[in-house]
Structure formats: C-alpha cells, structure tokens
Amino acid sequence: NYSVIDVNALAGATVDLAELQTISGGAVQLTSDGAGSVLNLPVLTSFAAQNNSAYLSALQVTNGGAVAGATGVTSLAHVYLTLDGTGTWASSQITRFTYGALTLTGGTLTLNNLTDIDGSNLLVSGGATLSLPGVTSYTGWVGNRMTLQATGTGSTLALPNLPSLTTDTSSNYSVIDVNALAGATVDLA
C-alpha cells in the first residue's frame, strides 16, 4: 500500500486538527518544524499505525516546532519519532512506544512513565540524553534487527532499570544491537 497522509506545520505555520481523535490504519506523517510552527491536536488520544504499509507513520517535532494537545496519547505503535530537543510536545503521559524508532539528536528527554519499548529502535546523537527509567525489559521484534544506540561525545542512552534483553530464537534474523559509538554512553544498568 503506497497511501500516506502528510500533515505539515512548517516555518511558523499552524495546522489545526481540533476534532482529530484517533490516527490508525495506514501511514500518517505529522511534522512540526520551525520556530512558531504548531500542530494543534487537542483531542487526539490514539496514534497506532499498521506495519504493512510502504510508508511509515511518523511524528517529527524539530527546530522549535510544537505539538499542542495530544495529552491523551499514552501509546505510540509503529511510529517513527524524531526529536531534536528544541520542540515541545506532551510526552510525560506516554507509557508504550512499540515497534517504532525514536531518534533524539539534541537536548535531554526523560520519559518516566514509559515502560514498554518492545520492538523499537532508540537512536541518540548530537550530545543528547535519552533516559527511560521505567523500562524494565526489552524484547526485540521477531525477524528484525533492533538497535539501541548512542553516537558522539556526550550522547547518552540510559535504561538504568533494564535487567534483561530478549530476542526471538525461532527466527534466523532476530538481532538486538547495543552500540555506544564515538565517545557516547549506553547505560543498561
């Protein structure tokens, strides 16, 4: 399926989706990029994409962009989340981030209530710090290569309460890579 919905607030613009309650089905890509850019999602409570699409669902909040609302969203599934530490979005209520990828290229992000990251890639760079103290287990995605990685001096991926990593042994291609590269730190205490 090559269908995708792109919603972009760019260069100080606002997109008002005041009645949008759920995002599901095919790929939906939401972007708020640039100072003063706002995606207004006051009643959004669910963002769960399917995995069988040629395009991936995404949420990008970068370069001073903002997502207003969406405080009822507690779970993101099959979503690629891109943050640079300069934008604003409601994140403290997130408890599940599964089968997606979180890329943080700047700033500090601590998601205290996030407990389930199964099947997700975590990529930290640019001196950023991502801390997930509520995560106590991680299971890879069957038949996929997963990456938990920090790259570059000062970059830190912290999962301080993670006692176990689990990959599927029934598949020939189920891999979890844990990488600290070029002066970065990955803390799996």
Side-chain angles (χ1 to χ4, degrees), residues 22-164:
T22 62
I23 297 172
S24 62
V28 176
Q29 299 176 348
L30 304 175
T31 301
S32 182
D33 182 71
S37 300
V38 178
L39 282 175
N40 187 31
L41 302 163
V43 297
L44 184 67
T45 58
S46 176
F47 192 169
Q50 292 179 348
N51 181 40
N52 60 359
S53 171
Y55 293 98
L56 302 171
S57 286
L59 173 60
Q60 176 181 332
V61 186
T62 50
N63 297 310
V67 173
T71 58
V73 176
T74 60
S75 177
L76 296 171
H78 299 286
V79 174
Y80 281 61
L81 179 60
T82 302
L83 308 167
D84 67 0
T86 66
T88 58
W89 66 294
S91 60
S92 64
Q93 78 284 356
I94 304 290
T95 59
R96 295 185 76 228
F97 182 77
T98 53
Y99 306 104
L102 193 162
T103 301
L104 181 64
T105 60
T108 297
L109 179 61
T110 300
L111 298 172
N112 288 314
N113 293 319
L114 182 60
T115 59
D116 185 357
I117 59 168
D118 287 351
S120 289
N121 293 299
L122 303 175
L123 307 168
V124 181
S125 64
T129 297
L130 176 61
S131 180
L132 307 176
V135 175
T136 58
S137 67
Y138 178 82
T139 301
W141 190 353
V142 174
N144 287 274
R145 180 176 216 112
M146 311 314 306
T147 303
L148 306 175
Q149 178 172 294
T151 304
T153 302
S155 299
T156 301
L157 172 58
L159 296 136
N161 297 304
L162 182 66
S164 68

